[in-house]
Structure formats: structure tokens, C-alpha cells
Amino acid sequence: KNRQYLQQHEIFALNIISSPGSGKTSLLTATIDALKDQLDINVIEGDQSSQLDAERIRNSGAKAIQINTGKGCHLDAHQVGHAIEDLNPADKGVLFIENVGNLVCPAPFDLGEAYKVVMLSVTEGEDKPLKYPDIFYAADLMIINKTDLLPYVDFNMDKCVEYAKQINPNLIIIELSATKGDGLSEWVQWIKAQRTLKAV
Amino acid sequence: KNRQYLQQHEIFALNIISSPGSGKTSLLTATIDALKDQLDINVIEGDQSSQLDAERIRNSGAKAIQINTGKGCHLDAHQVGHAIEDLNPADKGVLFIENVGNLVCPAPFDLGEAYKVVMLSVTEGEDKPLKYPDIFYAADLMIINKTDLLPYVDFNMDKCVEYAKQINPNLIIIELSATKGDGLSEWVQWIKAQRTLKAV
């Protein structure tokens, strides 16, 4: 039902999934900065508790609604449906759904998004695709974030890409630093290109 | 049942919980290095998939069993009970239970441990206690890991401690770097002291 609504209104929706602290909100504020003059941007924020992320998003200039899941470990389509109603996003816009920080539970839940985006930061280690395969299998795009910290951590980028492709050969991979901006244009270009493709 | 067995055999068990990639396994290999000549150490490793962590632990000189949870997002007492049977740990030893990387789902599950230890790394941001309060409330000790990366990330230690104490005023907090060794002795001393206390 969410997908049908979003398609009718040509709203391009991404479901963004990562561990707590991988940088989902930082990526979104940087993305909003890059796109807000061109596109209507709406954000649904999922967390167990607090309004912190929705506030950060609103400060960056997009509309945001926070869903607090309480004991819940992921967002579901019903919660997202209500949030879409409340946000009432403009036609042809972009909707980012920032899931609860969790590499396990959000994997099997379809929220009506066009694509699932899994994010991993280089501080988390290159072995995560092998340890949490379901989400890397379910995702269409993988973002490897915090590349600015590569000099200070023991992270093998080639192995990470190899493990991810082993789980999901079709996974598209973008390396970037949300806080420093390196690689961000590739992500922004991907959003623009996919949004156009999906609208055809 | 697990707790009764562990108490009878004077085995000091800790349930270690964090996001994926916060450094649980690195902390354990460093801890095993520090304690293996003094204590019998056993480790139960939880992950959705792979044997990677159990292999790392065995290479560091402790006995380890890997539990693969498949779709599961946390360990349960039944799984841990079977793993304890298989490990057959010596009396008066230490048992580390490394839970599946997840700040949400392991919080309400009692595995029979003496204490729950929650770990957060400085790369994840200081706001996590407010966003994932259940686990910070349920834990007895909080480890703030990767302090060697503090110069390169935007992390407010005072705020982190304040937020954590706001959720759980009794939380003991230890700052350390598992890979560089700073602060590790405080953690090792805590284990030794609590082990003695619990055995009385």
C-alpha cells in the first residue's frame, strides 16, 4: 500500500539500514544540503527513543517525523504508512526512511521503498557482510562510510567489497565520508539517476 | 538454570552487548591475553552467520563455541545452556558471552550471566544511551571503546557519560582502547574484583 501510494505520487523512497552510529543521520543531513534546492525532501526517523535525529534533520532544512519504536527493533510498513500520511510529501520528491540502528531485524521488512540501502562504516570492520548476511543480501546499494578514518583503523576495503559481493553479487557499492564530503557526489548522482529511472 | 549451574561451579559469566563492530571480539582477545595465565577462560560467540569470531578467540588461547542464530537477533538462555554443556568450563573460571551485534534485542534476555556489559565505541556518537535506553538501563557496566580514535571523531565524552547516567545512575563506566591497551587494566581489575565478590 505504501509502495502504491509512493509510485502514484512519484516519490522516490529509500530505506536506510545500518548499525547504531554508522552515520545514517550525518549522511542524510549532508544529502539534504546537496539536494534541498532541487527536490522536496522528507525523512522518517526510526529510533527506540528520543527526538534527536528528527531535530537534526529539521535543522538541515527537510521535513521530518520521528517514530519511536519503544521495545521494537525495526520499522514496519504500518508505522511508515502513518508517517507518510502525517508528512504529506509533495509529488516527485524524495523520502528517506532511516531505520532503527540494527543490522539484523530490519532486513526482511518491506516498507514500500524503491531500494534498501545498507551502510557500514570502516570503524566496524570488513567482516560484517559475512556475519550479518541477510541485510547485505536484501540491499540494493551498500555505502561504506567514514572513509576519512581509514588511516586510523584496521580495515581492509578490498576484503569488505569481496565479502559483500560474495553475499550479493549485484550490490552496488559507494565509498564516502558523510562528514568530510568525499564520495558524496557519487551517492547524490545515484539518487538522481535512480529517481529518474523509477519515475519512467 | 544456567545461573544455578554457573554459581555451583563458581564460574563468573559476563554477557557482552554492543552494536556490530564496536570491538567486542577485540576486547575479548586482549582480555584473554591479560588473564589466560591466571584463569580458565571460555567464550560463547553469537553471530547470525560465520565462525570468524570463534576462530579469533581460539587463536588467542581460550576455548570458544560459535552459535549462529540464523535469522535470530540475540542469544537466548537455551542456546547458551547447550553451549555451556559443550564447552564444559573448569570450575572457578570465567565465561564471556559475546552476544549478536545489536543494541536493541539482547536487552531483555537473561542468559544466566552475573552482569550485563554494554559497549559503545566513540565512533558511534555520544547520543546512543538516549536512543537505545533499554540496554543502558539493563547493563551493570558500560565500556566506552576505541578511545584512541577520539582525536579524529566528533564525540563528547562528558555528554556520553551524562546521558548514560541519566538512563542508569548506577552504571559503572570504563573508558578504554581494546586495540591499543589504554584503560584495559581497569577492566581486567574489575573482572578480578567482581569474580571474587560473586564467589563469596
Side-chain angles (χ1 to χ4, degrees):
Chain A
K1 214 166 129 192
N2 292 348
R3 180 163 291 115
Q4 198 178 5
Y5 178 90
L6 295 166
Q7 284 178 345
Q8 273 170 1
H9 294 268
E10 293 180 45
I11 296 163
F12 180 65
L14 295 176
N15 178 3
I16 303 178
I17 297 166
S18 82
S19 302
S22 296
K24 294 182 289 303
T25 316
S26 297
L27 178 71
L28 288 183
T29 56
T31 310
I32 291 162
D33 268 351
L35 283 174
K36 68 182 170 189
D37 294 336
Q38 304 160 55
L39 293 170
D40 182 72
I41 302 180
N42 294 268
V43 180
I44 296 171
E45 284 291 337
D47 269 311
Q48 276 198 289
S49 185
S50 93
Q51 294 284 325
L52 296 168
D53 283 352
E55 282 161 23
R56 278 176 70 190
I57 295 294
R58 284 184 206 116
N59 290 339
S60 72
K63 283 185 290 180
I65 277 189
Q66 182 89 43
I67 298 176
N68 282 153
T69 57
K71 304 286 170 198
C73 50
H74 61 86
L75 293 174
D76 65 37
H78 182 79
Q79 293 167 326
V80 168
H82 281 299
I84 294 172
E85 274 175 35
D86 292 344
L87 277 170
N88 191 22
D91 286 8
K92 300 178 194 292
V94 175
L95 173 67
F96 295 110
I97 305 165
E98 182 181 330
N99 224 307
V100 179
N102 191 322
L103 272 188
V104 182
C105 308
F109 288 89
D110 183 357
L111 307 179
E113 70 274 356
Y115 296 112
K116 281 190 174 69
V117 176
V118 64
M119 179 187 273
L120 184 70
S121 72
V122 303
T123 61
E124 296 167 53
E126 69 275 344
D127 57 359
K128 294 304 163 292
L130 299 181
K131 289 173 158 185
Y132 305 89
D134 289 15
I135 184 56
F136 292 89
Y137 182 76
D140 303 285
L141 173 74
M142 173 184 183
I143 291 176
I144 304 179
N145 190 21
K146 306 193 188 177
T147 53
D148 56 297
L149 295 177
L150 278 171
Y152 316 114
V153 295
D154 185 19
F155 182 87
N156 188 324
M157 185 66 80
D158 292 341
K159 285 251 178 239
C160 186
V161 170
E162 183 192 322
Y163 294 152
K165 293 274 189 186
Q166 193 175 314
I167 302 297
N168 181 354
N170 299 319
L171 200 60
I172 296 161
I173 300 177
I174 296 177
E175 302 168 21
L176 57 79
S177 164
T179 56
K180 307 293 176 199
D182 308 313
L184 202 72
S185 59
E186 196 185 343
W187 155 246
V188 169
Q189 287 310 315
W190 182 86
I191 294 172
K192 287 185 185 178
Q194 294 301 323
R195 178 180 161 269
T196 313
L197 270 177
K198 283 281 169 182
V200 174
Chain B
K1 216 168 129 192
N2 292 348
R3 180 164 289 114
Q4 198 179 8
Y5 178 91
L6 295 166
Q7 283 178 347
Q8 272 170 3
H9 294 269
E10 293 181 46
I11 297 163
F12 180 65
L14 296 176
N15 178 4
I16 303 177
I17 296 167
S18 81
S19 302
S22 294
K24 295 182 290 302
T25 316
S26 297
L27 178 71
L28 288 183
T29 57
T31 310
I32 291 162
D33 268 351
L35 283 174
K36 67 183 170 187
D37 295 337
Q38 306 160 52
L39 294 170
D40 181 71
I41 303 180
N42 295 266
V43 180
I44 297 172
E45 284 290 338
D47 270 310
Q48 276 197 288
S49 184
S50 93
Q51 293 284 324
L52 296 168
D53 283 352
E55 282 162 24
R56 278 176 70 189
I57 296 294
R58 285 185 205 114
N59 290 339
S60 72
K63 283 185 291 180
I65 277 188
Q66 181 89 43
I67 298 175
N68 282 152
T69 57
K71 302 288 168 196
C73 50
H74 61 87
L75 292 174
D76 65 38
H78 183 78
Q79 293 166 325
V80 168
H82 280 300
I84 294 172
E85 272 176 36
D86 292 344
L87 276 170
N88 192 21
D91 286 9
K92 300 181 193 290
V94 176
L95 173 67
F96 295 110
I97 305 166
E98 181 181 331
N99 224 307
V100 179
N102 191 323
L103 272 188
V104 182
C105 308
F109 289 88
D110 183 357
L111 307 180
E113 69 274 355
Y115 296 113
K116 279 190 176 66
V117 177
V118 64
M119 180 188 275
L120 184 70
S121 72
V122 302
T123 60
E124 296 167 53
E126 68 274 345
D127 56 0
K128 294 303 163 291
L130 299 181
K131 289 174 159 184
Y132 305 89
D134 290 14
I135 183 56
F136 292 89
Y137 182 76
D140 306 280
L141 173 73
M142 174 183 183
I143 291 178
I144 304 180
N145 190 23
K146 306 194 189 178
T147 53
D148 55 298
L149 296 178
L150 277 171
Y152 315 113
V153 295
D154 184 21
F155 182 87
N156 188 323
M157 185 66 80
D158 292 341
K159 284 251 177 240
C160 186
V161 170
E162 183 192 322
Y163 294 152
K165 293 273 189 188
Q166 195 175 313
I167 302 296
N168 182 352
N170 299 319
L171 199 60
I172 297 162
I173 300 177
I174 296 177
E175 302 169 22
L176 57 80
S177 164
T179 55
K180 308 292 177 200
D182 309 313
L184 202 71
S185 59
E186 197 185 342
W187 156 245
V188 169
Q189 288 309 318
W190 182 86
I191 293 172
K192 287 185 185 176
Q194 295 301 324
R195 180 180 160 268
T196 312
L197 270 177
K198 283 281 168 182
V200 175

